[in-house]
Amino acid sequence: MKGYIFKRLLYLIPTLIGASILIFFLYSLVPGNFVDSDMNLTLERKAELYALYGFDQPVIKRYFIWIGNLLQGDLGYSLQFQRPVDEVLGNYIWSSFIVALASLILTWLIAILIGVVSAIRQYSVFDTFVTILVFAAMATPSFFLGLMIIKFFAVDLGWFPAGGIITTGSNYTGWAYYKDVAQHLVLPVLVLTMLGIGGLARYFRTNMLEVIKQDFVRTARAKGLKERVVVFKHALRNALLPAITLFGFELPALFSGAIITEQIFNWPGVGAVFMQAFTVRDYPLLMGFTMFIALLTVFSNLIADLLYGVADPRVRLR
Amino acid sequence: MESSSVIRRETNKVKHHKSSSLWGQVIQRLLKNNVALAGLGFLIFIFLFSFIGPLFSPYINLGVDPTAINKPPSAAHWLGTDALGRDVLTRLMLAGRISLTVGLGAMVMSVTIGAILGILAGYYRGIVDQIVMRTADVLMTIPGLPLLFIMAAVMSEWKVPTDYRIYIVMIMLSLVGWPGLARLVRSQILSLRERQFIQATDALGLRDRRKLLNHLLPNTVPLLIVSGTLSIGGAILSESTLSYFGLGVVPPSASWGNMITAANSLIDFQKRPWLWIPPGVAIFMTVISINLLGDGLRDAIDPNMKRR
């Protein structure tokens, strides 16, 4: 096991180097930069800023400067915010995290429930209905779902605010503040939950269908256990176990921000900041953020693989 | 009486026997799947709607009409008109042409790249495998949307005419789409190459080209058909997202995604839902049909294949 982890960690190094090269050179191919986007600058000032930000250096040299700083834990300096990138990300990541966490919890709870019920009542009306909903959720573009939800719940019914994180111009404190944020949270969380539930519910349904056919479930029934105990205690546990690997894959999503949903709901998270940084070509922020996500993805894949071995000891990790 | 029914039964049997080639069976199983057929039916409809439909539209050559701006749906304009007085229904058909073409084109390209690289990596292993799969790994560590945004920005610099933008979008989508497919194909090839029929080709001393094209490739076709079908839906969704953010197909070419940008204006969003809801519904119905058909194909091709 230790040897396996060590080997996997070694394998991460070329992948991450590859990712850093790809990220850096792709961004360096993107036309325009932060300095050029400001029309009011004189040519001398531009040259000065070019020198200050190191834009006048050759690409290869800039890559090594960037990667050198990265290895020392320095993600760079955001041009647009005039602050270190890690500080900017730190400021925005938590609002993304709240949305992601709330929808993650909701998604899993509802998906498990739906999966279990439609598995034990396979081909029932409920099962068919759920299957249709699942397909519907997987076929809707996220931005369109967001727009429809805003139109329906915020514009037509007026139940929830259409966007932002707090009511503009308000300065609530204490409970009133939390309540305000919670109200703004509802619709983005609803969208992310609706989008995520489909695949997961199907996954649990399949797992549950497999488990329910096994002998130990028949034994549990034969012992005269109540159906509820059989399903939720004996069967569900075994159906849940393989899903912990999926949990590993969900990890990056908790911090990466939902670019589209945050943009639609004007939610001040890292996803929205990414889009904003993209329009003004704030490369240090863009590269730092993308590299951060790549790092998270790589590690969460490793965690998922390790968890897979924990969930099913028959899987040998070598 | 009786003998005729026996004969009929016999002929049925013969018929059944005749069509029970592998693909005959697949088609038979698919024909029994009403849900998949409904998906197929809608897809045929949407193709006719998009490619033949505009020929019947009285507004096809009219284009901009300053006398009919922002009209709500009526008998003359079933889905109303937009800010330039263009008929929304006609635009929806033309947009369908582009969105469907992009979806199909991106699928063909990513399946081709994914299949070729996957087969080469799985068959030759060693250094080829390392290069292909590490590249795929790297591409998969970067989240799809930022990657698409970057590529879109880079490629807009090439100043391609808007008519050709759709090919750029196809290339982008297939660059993001191939790694997953290559992985699937590679793992299939890794298990196939240990099977006896491949050992037999070794023993016969067949050339690599024949082994790969005549013996390995046909065995990945079922996998390619299923994941290819499902990837069309994904490509249409990605195209609509990119176009919505102004990075995919750009006006004056219409795609379902860029028609929804109408929702970005507050007045259109609140007061003129006919501008942006129909294209959204079109995307939704098309993708759901593709997924249902793909799912049906998977069940028909290999009933034991694990559903996910």
Side-chain angles (χ1 to χ4, degrees), chain A residues 146-190:
Chain A
L147 291 170
M148 292 292 281
I149 295 240
I150 293 177
K151 167 125 183 82
F152 192 65
F153 288 107
V155 177
D156 294 350
L157 292 173
W159 286 357
F160 298 102
I165 187 168
I166 48 167
T167 313
T168 325
S170 68
N171 47 353
Y172 295 121
T173 45
W175 275 113
Y177 173 76
Y178 290 117
K179 206 184 138 210
D180 195 35
V181 171
Q183 273 180 342
H184 285 80
L185 198 67
V186 174
L187 294 187
V189 169
L190 179 68

Side-chain angles (χ1 to χ4, degrees), chain A residues 199-229:
Chain A
L200 209 57
R202 248 158 98 73
Y203 179 80
F204 282 120
R205 180 174 175 273
T206 321
N207 276 357
M208 200 64 188
L209 281 175
E210 251 167 46
V211 170
I212 259 177
K213 281 180 206 133
Q214 288 181 21
D215 285 341
F216 75 92
V217 172
R218 194 179 307 153
T219 314
R221 285 211 179 100
K223 276 200 302 191
L225 291 181
K226 275 188 213 129
E227 187 62 22
R228 216 182 51 205
V229 179

Side-chain angles (χ1 to χ4, degrees), chain A residues 18 40 58 75 91 96 99 147 167 176 196 206 235 254 268 272 299 307-308 312:
Chain A
N40 299 324
L75 280 173
N91 285 342
S96 286
V99 182
L147 291 170
T167 313
T206 321
L254 279 178
F299 273 104
L307 285 177
Y308 197 57
D312 189 348

Side-chain angles (χ1 to χ4, degrees), chain A residues 67-113:
Chain A
I67 198 84
N69 289 337
L70 206 63
L71 286 175
Q72 292 165 26
D74 179 9
L75 280 173
Y77 197 78
S78 163
L79 307 173
Q80 147 190 220
F81 292 92
Q82 291 295 323
R83 259 156 224 263
V85 169
D86 43 4
E87 200 184 311
V88 175
L89 290 181
N91 285 342
Y92 286 95
I93 217 159
W94 296 109
S95 55
S96 286
F97 180 74
I98 307 171
V99 182
L101 186 70
S103 67
L104 181 77
I105 294 172
L106 270 178
T107 312
W108 277 69
L109 286 180
I110 302 174
I112 290 174
L113 202 67

Side-chain angles (χ1 to χ4, degrees), chain A residues 9-63:
Chain A
L9 284 174
L10 270 184
Y11 267 122
L12 290 189
I13 297 170
T15 312
L16 283 173
I17 292 176
S20 74
I21 293 175
L22 188 67
I23 290 170
F24 189 88
F25 287 98
L26 272 176
Y27 276 119
S28 70
L29 284 175
V30 176
N33 66 44
F34 188 71
V35 177
D36 291 341
S37 63
D38 191 343
M39 296 295 188
N40 299 324
L41 294 175
T42 59
L43 277 176
E44 293 88 64
R45 180 71 187 137
K46 254 185 195 172
E48 229 175 284
L49 285 173
Y50 262 64
L52 179 66
Y53 295 135
F55 291 159
D56 51 354
Q57 310 280 354
V59 183
I60 308 274
K61 198 174 164 197
R62 274 193 284 148
Y63 171 74

